[in-house]
Amino acid sequence: MPGPLSDAGAMAEALQQARLAQAAGEVPVGAVVLGPERTVIGRGHNAREATADPTAHAEIVALREAAARLGTWRLDGTALVVTLEPCTMCAGASVLARVARLVFAADDLKAGAVGSLWDVVRDRRLNHRPEVIRGVLADEASSLLQSFFQARRGG
């Protein structure tokens, strides 16, 4: 059984999930949830096209798997590690799930809700605010996204 993961090690796992999404024709975003012992308890990648589900973002898929594994929606002491800055839905879900730490790679200047466009997770009006770590393996995550969208545009 693998031991505790560093943020970079967990992001490497999330990047593997992003590659699975890309292979399935989805936007290459991946996520993992680390339990309090820093081992993976949930994995996910974008699956909106495959499932026809607008909520099937990598973060939501990973949070659902972690909650099912733990048998509770309260993910106290966990970390959500994702290759792209979460959108408002996913940032809100991390707050509602009581995630302790939110680690992400690439900023999302068009839809990011963890500091780029909005800052949902640090809104003092909410009852929970996770610690935020940004930029872990950002170049690799950004490169994966850029190559995906360049290929879609035909160049």
Side-chain angles (χ1 to χ4, degrees):
M1 187 161 162
L5 291 173
S6 65
D7 288 344
M11 189 62 72
E13 294 266 343
L15 283 162
Q16 288 179 340
Q17 290 294 310
R19 289 184 199 93
L20 291 174
Q22 184 174 23
E26 303 274 355
V27 175
V29 178
V32 296
V33 177
L34 298 179
E37 303 81 25
R38 298 188 62 87
T39 58
V40 176
I41 60 170
R43 289 181 172 80
H45 56 75
N46 277 357
R48 292 187 308 170
E49 301 299 331
T51 61
D53 179 356
T55 69
H57 289 201
E59 300 95 322
I60 302 298
V61 174
L63 288 168
R64 285 178 179 156
E65 184 175 293
R69 180 167 289 165
L70 295 178
T72 180
W73 62 267
R74 290 181 185 271
L75 301 181
D76 298 315
T78 65
L80 174 61
V81 181
V82 60
T83 60
L84 182 64
E85 179 181 358
C87 68
T88 53
M89 175 182 68
C90 295
S94 71
V95 170
L96 293 173
R98 310 298 194 267
V99 168
R101 297 175 70 240
L102 176 55
V103 181
F104 69 92
D107 290 342
D108 185 349
L109 301 178
K110 293 182 180 179
V114 187
S116 289
L117 193 56
W118 298 285
D119 202 349
V120 171
V121 299
R122 288 179 278 226
D123 189 320
R124 294 202 174 278
R125 295 169 292 184
L126 299 175
N127 65 343
H128 177 76
R129 287 179 295 283
E131 175 187 4
V132 174
I133 295 91
R134 72 189 315 152
V136 176
L137 301 183
D139 290 344
E140 190 172 344
S142 294
S143 183
L144 189 61
L145 285 159
Q146 287 170 354
S147 65
F148 174 80
F149 286 111
Q150 282 176 343
R152 278 190 125 176
R153 289 188 295 265

